[in-house]
Amino acid sequence: MSAPSLANSIPPQQADRRETLIGQGREGLAARLEELGVPERQSRMRVGQLWNWLYVQGATDFARMTNIAKEFRAELDLSFTLARPEIVTEQVSSDGTRKWLLRLNDGKEVETVYIPEEDRGTLCISSQVGCTLNCSFCHTGTQRLVRNLTPAEIVGQIMVARDRLGDWPGAVADDPRGIPDTDRKITNVVLMGMGEPLYNFDHVRDAMAIAADGEGLSVSKRRITLSTSGVVPEIPRWGEEAGTMLAISLHAVRDELRDRLVPINKKWPIKDLLDACRAYPGLSNAKRITFEYVMLKGVNDSIADAKELVRLLAKIPAKINLIPFNPGRVRHTNVPTGSKSRHSARW
């Protein structure tokens, strides 16, 4: 990453006590309008107008909403805001990869990362401030869990990224380096940032419903992936209620090793995890589960490990993502800190 393009330490702004409309679904918007006394016969029209301005046009100011009466815009502005999380730092690498440190309204901070490719752009978003899982090779595991993110804070990460990338109708990016020359700059969303998303199930589900809405942010469910370390009881439920793609942070083929690398395995071992994967609603060759496997030299990268991985995943429509180990992200001494593996492939 290059040096941050924004100030390294932006002082916290005074908290805005108004509620943001970002992250509100249609029912939520209707409820907010009811609080303002909007008659029921007008509510559907007003919700449609607000929805379009929020999630299609990316409005950051009620004044832009020119098809809404000026007096009503002023009333909205008194009670609500369109604020996204605040960017503390923005780092842009030579290939266009971007990392944002975002400050939430209570001063807590999370990270969001954008990874561009020639014909697509993937946004990696967070679901919690900190994490409880203590995975051996994950830097977030060094931070205690502070709280879950709200739907507004989860959707807000997508909004911030679209603002910065010029990914709204008629908008352009301030810094176009590496951004794909496509109509949509963010084509994929992955819940692979800070936190375990299935431990914040309801808020993540509601946020992804907004992200996937075809009349709004319009990210296909086939292009949204939830990554879990293995909260087994919630995996089938996620498939039923959200129906996105699924990724499993596997990283080992033996319980003894996975207990050390991914401690949640002590509660839900590999067999239980894979049984839940086989039961994932909609699972097919067209909707495969991705198994993420970080390569740790001399730990989990033997030929025997590879063969056991193939055996374990038999009869599960699957993709395997082999991830080079980044020694700069290690947190426990029982994980080697040697050079990262040369293996990196998607099968």
Side-chain angles (χ1 to χ4, degrees), residues 1 12 21-22 36 94 123 180 215 237 260 276 284 316 321 324 345:
M1 289 285 182
L21 293 184
I22 300 300
L36 293 183
S94 57
L123 188 69
E215 296 178 354
R237 182 186 167 206
R260 287 192 288 136
S284 67
I316 300 178
N321 187 19

Side-chain angles (χ1 to χ4, degrees), residues 1-5 90-94 97 175 177:
M1 289 285 182
S2 64
S5 59
E90 177 184 70
Q91 295 174 281
V92 184
S93 71
S94 57
T97 298
D175 182 350
R177 283 180 292 169

Side-chain angles (χ1 to χ4, degrees), residues 137 228-230 247-254 257-258 261-262 265 270 273-274 290-294 300 309 312-313 320:
F137 45 81
T228 177
S229 293
I248 303 294
S249 295
L250 188 61
H251 308 310
V253 294
R254 306 183 308 278
L257 177 58
R258 194 167 190 266
L261 298 180
V262 188
N265 194 72
I270 291 173
L273 175 59
L274 296 184
T290 297
F291 288 88
E292 299 160 341
Y293 197 98
V294 65
N300 66 353
L309 182 61
L312 285 174
L313 301 186
I320 301 171

Side-chain angles (χ1 to χ4, degrees), residues 16 39 63 83 105 162 216 239 246 263 275 279 302 321 336:
D16 190 337
N105 203 41
R162 292 192 69 173
L246 181 69
D275 285 346
S302 70
N321 187 19

